[in-house]
């Protein structure tokens, strides 16, 4: 089946620290991979995506590289800000034409000034 | 423009009651999705519509759950004989029409704020 596993949170960092949130997946075929973010009081928003192996998605200083050999899509940011505090969800879209998303359990990130 | 809206934002009901949750997608979006998010978990897929028809309802947990989209816009998720385990945030998302015949393209799903359902 299809599943996504994220590192457990919560994660607390100081401003300007380096961030990594691990994500690994299990899927048949070649899924597309996503990171969604949920800021306090807001709905889920797409942060970045990658549709094939070795693709790198990037947005707002965040990056993630689709690694087929390790079935991973780790989220990274070189210098986090207080405004990055949110819950981050890794997700996949199974191949074979499926449109539904399969999400990980989410990682709550808190950035302290 | 307006995003996906969901009503009500909160719903408290008693075990055994019937509830309806409404989703208004972004205007022009032909695909609509329902997900359920339990506390501390990621969203779980329930059903998705392409136009008026349910293209994939494989995530509906049992026959107490039903969703409709009669005119290809607003959708209603209906839960009969609610149980305490149904308590969750119900999320709706919409996207533009799927591209191509293979379904291989992806159109971003835009999520609403959710309806928090509490079954006492």
């Amino acid at each position: 089946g299809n599943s996504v596993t994220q590192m457990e949170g919560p994660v607390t960092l100081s401003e300007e620290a380096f961030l990594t949130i691990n994500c690994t997946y299990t899927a048949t075929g070649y899924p597309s991979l996503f990171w969604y973010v949920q800021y306090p009081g807001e709905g889920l928003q797409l942060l970045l995506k990658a549709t094939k192996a070795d693709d790198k998605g990037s947005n707002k200083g965040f990056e993630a590289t689709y690694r087929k050999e390790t079935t991973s899509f780790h989220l990274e940011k070189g210098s986090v800000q207080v405004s990055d505090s949110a819950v981050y969800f890794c997700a996949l879209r199974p191949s074979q034409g499926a449109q539904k998303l399969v999400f990980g359990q989410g990682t709550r990130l808190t950035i302290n000034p | 423009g307006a995003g996906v809206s969901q009503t009500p934002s909160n719903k408290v009901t008693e075990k055994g009651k019937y509830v309806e949750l409404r989703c208004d997608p972004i205007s022009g979006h032909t695909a609509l999705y329902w997900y359920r998010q339990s506390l501390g978990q990621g969203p779980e897929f329930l059903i998705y519509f392409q136009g008026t028809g349910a293209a994939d309802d494989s995530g509906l947990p049992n026959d107490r759950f039903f969703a409709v989209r009669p005119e290809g816009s607003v959708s209603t998720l209906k839960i009969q004989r609610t149980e305490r385990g149904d308590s969750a945030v119900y999320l709706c998302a919409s996207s533009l029409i799927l591209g191509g015949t293979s379904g291989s393209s992806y159109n971003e799903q835009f999520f609403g704020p959710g309806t928090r359902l509490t079954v006492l």
Side-chain angles (χ1 to χ4, degrees), chain A residues 36 46 89 93 99-101 104, chain B residues 35 37 42 103-104 106 109:
Chain A
Y36 273 79
L46 178 64
F89 294 91
R93 181 182 78 119
Q99 292 300 315
K100 65 183 179 184
L101 295 172
Chain B
Y35 294 83
Q37 186 174 15
S104 60
Y106 175 76
Q109 295 182 26

Side-chain angles (χ1 to χ4, degrees), chain B residues 83-96:
Chain B
E83 299 178 356
R84 292 193 180 88
D86 299 334
S87 297
V89 176
Y90 289 82
L91 299 172
C92 177
S94 69
S95 72
L96 289 168

